[in-house]
């Protein structure tokens, strides 16, 4: 564990045998306490709660980003629903607004599945916007992803500047989102996960 997180874990008496799961729980409970203006476990400050949540989110997002099959298992069904909604909207070519409501633990995997570089725990009342833009000349459809009103790079593939773009062709995003769908969900769910780093 990073030094700052280690100090927080010791103060909160986190079980050393399974610190990551207990830190998830600590972050969730402490965030809830802060939202309701209650004392936090181990008298954690707002900054310390944010540190724990960021650590948990970065670990979770990193795990998802490094394992496309795990991402498909976690959020694939919902991403298929989103893709179907977009495809249906494009087929009718009439303006359409689709609204979904989800927990923060859904928001982060959606952002990872879309290939954004967002890391950190999504705050309460987070908002993801998927905007479809049709180029008049080519009739090509592009996707822009906004989180909390700010555009994010979509399908980011590392640090190469030419790979970064807030607009991506919809067919490219669609293919990437559906690419790791297991053929046999039961078998994929039963497979042993690689050890966490």
């Amino acid at each position: 564990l990073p030094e700052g997180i280690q100090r927080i874990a010791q103060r909160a008496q986190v079980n050393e045998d399974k610190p990551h799961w207990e830190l998830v729980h600590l972050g969730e409970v402490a965030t809830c306490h802060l939202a309701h203006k209650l004392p936090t476990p181990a008298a954690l400050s707002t900054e310390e709660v944010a540190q724990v949540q960021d650590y948990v989110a970065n670990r979770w997002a990193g795990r998802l980003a490094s394992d496309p099959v795990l991402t498909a298992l976690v959020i694939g069904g919902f991403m298929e629903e989103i893709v179907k909604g977009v495809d249906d909207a494009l087929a009718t070519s009439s303006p359409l607004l689709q609204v979904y409501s989800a927990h923060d633990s859904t928001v982060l995997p959606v952002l990872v599945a879309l290939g954004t570089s967002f890391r950190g725990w999504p705050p309460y009342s987070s908002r993801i916007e998927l905007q479809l833009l049709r180029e008049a000349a080519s009739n090509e459809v592009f996707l822009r992803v906004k989180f909390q009103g700010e555009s994010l790079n979509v399908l980011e593939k590392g640090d190469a500047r030419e790979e970064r773009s807030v607009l991506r062709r919809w067919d490219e995003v669609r293919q990437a989102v559906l690419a790791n769908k297991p053929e046999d969900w039961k078998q994929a769910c039963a497979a042993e996960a690689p050890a966490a780093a």
Side-chain angles (χ1 to χ4, degrees), residues 110-119 128-130 143-147 150-168 173:
V110 167
L111 291 171
V112 171
L114 290 168
T116 74
S117 60
F118 176 82
R119 298 298 181 262
I128 300 173
E129 297 171 41
L130 303 181
L143 176 76
R144 175 173 38 218
V145 176
K146 286 190 168 190
F147 180 67
E150 295 199 21
S151 294
L152 298 178
N153 291 317
V154 181
L155 299 182
E156 192 164 68
K157 298 179 176 82
D159 292 331
R161 292 276 176 227
E162 63 275 5
E163 293 293 342
R164 295 179 178 221
S165 177
V166 295
L167 288 177
R168 286 286 183 177
V173 176

Side-chain angles (χ1 to χ4, degrees), residues 110-142:
V110 167
L111 291 171
V112 171
L114 290 168
T116 74
S117 60
F118 176 82
R119 298 298 181 262
W121 202 255
Y124 284 148
S125 303
S126 292
R127 182 182 81 248
I128 300 173
E129 297 171 41
L130 303 181
Q131 300 176 343
L132 297 173
L133 306 154
R134 188 180 301 270
E135 188 176 61
S138 68
N139 208 30
E140 235 179 334
V141 177
F142 292 85

Side-chain angles (χ1 to χ4, degrees), residues 9-26:
Q10 287 169 345
R11 206 166 89 227
Q13 299 178 347
V14 166
N15 182 340
E16 290 181 24
D17 292 338
K18 49 182 179 176
H20 304 294
W21 289 115
E22 290 209 4
L23 284 167
V24 168
H25 181 72
L26 176 64

Side-chain angles (χ1 to χ4, degrees), residues 79-122:
M79 295 307 295
E80 284 180 28
E81 188 176 326
I82 290 172
V83 165
K84 183 183 180 330
V86 169
D87 288 346
D88 290 349
L90 292 173
T92 63
S93 70
S94 60
L96 180 67
L97 172 67
Q98 294 180 12
V99 178
Y100 298 92
S101 179
H103 288 278
D104 50 358
S105 56
T106 301
V107 171
L108 184 60
V110 167
L111 291 171
V112 171
L114 290 168
T116 74
S117 60
F118 176 82
R119 298 298 181 262
W121 202 255

